[in-house]
């Protein structure tokens, strides 16, 4: 894989509609270099292709699915008693956009 260049980072930043200053561009390039180095280290581990993928970070991880049980839910009228303002079955909230 080719190394990332300043032009590539600028192009991706433009496509994502984020403007990068020259300092930010340099920071991104340094981060990609670190990521690239780590990927090379991993790729050069002997017999890495024979390692079985992990499904969880903990070896003794075990999950048990609970059974689906129908339970009585709280009546909406009781829930709405906790609201300052509501209309029918909908909670009124202040307008926050334009």
């Amino acid at each position: 894989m080719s190394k990332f260049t300043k032009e590539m980072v600028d192009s991706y930043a433009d496509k994502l509609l984020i403007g990068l200053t020259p300092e930010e561009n340099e920071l991104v390039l340094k981060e990609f270099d670190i990521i690239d180095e780590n990927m090379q280290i991993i790729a050069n581990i002997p017999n890495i292709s024979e390692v079985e993928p992990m499904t969880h970070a903990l070896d003794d991880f075990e999950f048990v699915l609970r059974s689906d049980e129908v339970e009585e839910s709280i009546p909406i009228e009781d829930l709405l008693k906790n609201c300052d303002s509501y209309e029918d079955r909908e909670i009124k909230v202040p307008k926050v956009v334009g």
Side-chain angles (χ1 to χ4, degrees):
M1 184 179 141
S2 61
K3 302 262 296 167
F4 278 93
T5 63
K6 177 188 178 322
E7 292 76 23
M8 290 171 72
V9 173
D10 283 336
S11 172
Y12 293 138
D14 288 343
K15 290 176 184 173
L16 294 170
L17 303 176
I18 55 173
L20 294 179
T21 65
E23 295 81 18
E24 291 170 329
N25 188 301
E26 187 64 31
L27 179 66
V28 169
L29 283 173
K30 287 180 184 176
E31 290 291 327
F32 278 131
D33 284 341
I34 293 169
I35 292 169
D36 232 7
E37 289 172 15
N38 287 317
M39 288 175 61
Q40 288 304 316
I41 291 170
I42 292 170
N44 292 326
I45 295 174
N47 302 322
I48 189 73
S49 61
E50 297 171 18
V51 176
E52 187 176 334
M54 292 174 32
T55 56
H56 197 275
L58 303 175
D59 291 337
D60 62 350
F61 179 73
E62 189 176 309
F63 63 90
V64 178
L65 295 176
R66 64 175 174 81
S67 60
D68 289 335
E69 297 175 7
V70 177
E71 295 180 0
E72 190 68 33
S73 60
I74 300 171
I76 292 177
E77 292 74 23
D78 290 346
L79 293 173
L80 291 174
K81 289 178 184 175
N82 294 319
C83 302
D84 291 335
S85 178
Y86 62 90
E87 184 175 310
D88 297 323
R89 295 173 62 152
E90 297 177 1
I91 299 171
K92 285 185 173 181
V93 296
K95 187 174 182 178
V96 293
V97 179

